[in-house]
Amino acid sequence: MKNPVKYLQDLVIVPVYKFYKNFLSKNARHSYCKNIANFIFNYSKETALIMLFFNAVSILSSHIAQIGGLKKSKRENKEYLISQEKKELGLDLILTIIPPFLLNNFLKKKLDAGLLTTPEAREKLINIAAPVVGVARDELYSTDHIRPIKETVSSVLSRGTTAIMQNKKTPKFLFNSVKNLDKKLKSTLPNYALKLPAPNLEDICTDFNNLAKDKRISPKVLKQFRNGSAYDELCGQNNGILIMATIAYTILASNIIMPILKNKLANKEYEKQLAKMGETKESIKRKKRFEYNNFPVIKVEENSTFNIFSNSDNTTSTNNPNKISPHISPPVKENIFSEFNPYMNISSQPIGLRI
């Protein structure tokens, strides 16, 4: 028999200690808080992407909550509603993740390439900010820092395959297949060490603001920019366009596109359910119309319990108020003094003794 202390140690003490060490200890809190801080720092400037991300999270949580509520309910058609909700969840995620990110990537390339900008912003970048920082005109409006979608997907999948291969508990057959996939993914990625980074708009504006903080730029030049900052003037304009495009697509998708697609999906599922029952929309309408026009009439049989009321006449007539039903005998009229007549007769007879 196993020692109770050893049994308690293996099942309770060791798992609790590992959980505390990996998630609740000071080092664990420092590590994942640092990762969260790095994520926020790297993507805080991408306001449009943050909006899309949290919009997708809200839609996902809403559908999951509705599916959980339907599972706990006692509705007869809850299985059909759950399947419908799952399909709408997939449709929502597709429309709120893939097209917005494609739109954001497309607009970002156009903005950084200078194809979607105002003449005033172009003049300030070329004639004021770039010469101060020391960037030539040929180096402006570079889009090399923007990764293509295929490259981004390959990079994310490559990180996943690397994590699986580094895990010692990974089965051998899975390790071999993941290893082959990892080679294919890394072959599609460029060698960033050999790629010279070109100055982008954000780097130029950041260097310009740093020189302004060191007071190397005259106040007259700084007055030409919003709040005296090239970043607020030029990068803020591009971020504003991305945010407006994101909000416009979100409104369009949630208020126009999604209701139409959900309605078509619901109609298609309804037709499938009718087909399983051997019915169509027209047959259902005909049955409802027939039932309405041929409303059933209640017939009373002779021996029915309602016949006990058939002998009474409930009609009222003002022509002959003294009319009485033939089945009911009229009351006998009696004199109210009839009870006293015997006594009156007795008292009126002659008696021998008189006073």
Side-chain angles (χ1 to χ4, degrees):
M1 183 176 179
K2 197 172 183 179
N3 190 357
V5 178
K6 183 68 175 176
Y7 189 80
L8 180 65
Q9 179 181 350
D10 294 340
L11 293 181
V12 179
I13 298 176
V14 174
V16 170
Y17 175 75
K18 288 183 178 179
F19 179 81
Y20 171 79
K21 184 179 179 181
N22 296 330
F23 299 100
L24 301 179
S25 64
K26 184 178 180 180
N27 293 331
R29 285 185 279 112
H30 178 75
S31 62
Y32 61 71
C33 287
K34 186 178 179 180
N35 294 332
I36 294 173
N38 291 333
F39 176 82
I40 294 173
F41 178 78
N42 293 329
Y43 293 96
S44 60
K45 57 187 178 182
E46 303 290 345
T47 311
L49 291 178
I50 295 296
M51 292 175 62
L52 293 174
F53 173 75
F54 283 107
N55 184 37
V57 170
S58 65
I59 291 174
L60 179 64
S61 60
S62 176
H63 282 288
I64 291 175
Q66 290 181 5
I67 291 172
L70 288 172
K71 288 181 179 179
K72 295 179 181 179
S73 66
K74 297 181 180 179
R75 303 180 66 172
E76 295 180 357
N77 59 341
K78 69 177 183 179
E79 297 297 333
Y80 169 75
L81 295 176
I82 289 173
S83 63
Q84 189 76 5
E85 195 69 30
K86 289 180 179 179
K87 293 178 182 179
E88 292 181 2
L89 169 61
L91 190 63
D92 268 328
L93 289 179
I94 291 173
L95 286 178
T96 55
I97 291 178
I98 298 176
F101 279 95
L102 294 176
L103 177 63
N104 184 79
N105 193 60
F106 172 79
L107 289 177
K108 192 173 182 180
K109 284 184 177 180
K110 296 295 182 182
L111 290 169
D112 288 359
L115 301 177
L116 295 177
T117 185
T118 60
E120 183 181 359
R122 183 186 297 274
E123 182 181 357
K124 289 180 179 180
L125 176 63
I126 295 175
N127 298 327
I128 300 176
V132 170
V133 176
V135 178
R137 290 192 177 186
D138 297 338
E139 297 177 346
L140 295 175
Y141 297 115
S142 174
T143 58
D144 294 339
H145 62 284
I146 301 176
R147 291 186 180 183
I149 297 176
K150 183 179 179 181
E151 185 178 328
T152 303
V153 173
S154 299
S155 178
V156 173
L157 293 177
S158 178
R159 292 179 184 177
T161 54
T162 303
I164 292 173
M165 289 190 300
Q166 291 177 353
N167 191 358
K168 296 180 180 179
K169 297 182 180 180
T170 303
K172 190 173 182 180
F173 71 94
L174 181 61
F175 180 86
N176 294 329
S177 59
V178 168
K179 186 177 180 180
N180 296 330
L181 178 61
D182 186 67
K183 289 181 180 180
K184 292 180 181 179
L185 292 174
K186 289 182 178 179
S187 63
T188 60
L189 296 175
N191 191 354
Y192 298 106
L194 301 177
K195 191 175 181 181
L196 295 176
N200 54 43
L201 180 63
E202 184 180 355
D203 295 335
I204 294 171
C205 294
T206 302
D207 294 341
F208 183 88
N209 288 349
N210 291 332
L211 293 175
K213 289 181 181 180
D214 296 337
K215 298 182 179 180
R216 297 182 183 181
I217 303 174
S218 63
K220 292 183 180 179
V221 176
L222 295 178
K223 287 182 180 179
Q224 301 182 31
F225 294 94
R226 180 182 177 84
N227 301 325
S229 172
Y231 193 95
D232 294 347
E233 178 74 23
L234 303 176
C235 294
Q237 183 183 27
N238 292 352
N239 289 333
I241 293 174
L242 291 175
I243 291 172
M244 286 191 296
T246 302
I247 294 174
Y249 176 80
T250 303
I251 294 173
L252 181 67
S254 59
N255 295 326
I256 298 177
I257 299 176
M258 281 304 302
I260 294 174
L261 294 179
K262 286 182 179 180
N263 189 22
K264 290 184 177 181
L265 180 63
N267 291 335
K268 189 176 180 180
E269 292 297 325
Y270 179 65
E271 290 177 358
K272 287 182 179 179
Q273 293 293 327
L274 291 179
K276 291 180 180 179
M277 298 166 57
E279 299 285 350
T280 60
K281 291 182 179 180
E282 290 74 15
S283 64
I284 296 295
K285 290 180 181 179
R286 285 196 300 268
K287 286 183 179 181
K288 290 183 178 180
R289 194 181 303 115
F290 179 78
E291 291 177 358
Y292 178 78
N293 294 332
N294 298 275
F295 190 80
V297 180
I298 300 175
K299 295 182 179 181
V300 181
E301 299 179 357
E302 293 182 357
N303 297 327
S304 176
T305 56
F306 295 97
N307 287 339
I308 59 175
F309 302 102
S310 61
N311 293 331
S312 61
D313 187 6
N314 296 327
T315 60
T316 57
S317 176
T318 57
N319 296 329
N320 189 6
N322 296 326
K323 184 178 178 180
I324 302 174
S325 177
H327 300 282
I328 302 175
S329 58
V332 180
K333 295 183 179 181
E334 295 181 355
N335 190 358
I336 58 175
F337 298 100
S338 58
E339 296 180 359
F340 299 95
N341 286 334
Y343 302 99
M344 293 295 293
N345 293 330
I346 294 172
S347 61
S348 62
Q349 290 179 2
I351 301 176
L353 181 61
R354 293 180 180 271
I355 300 176

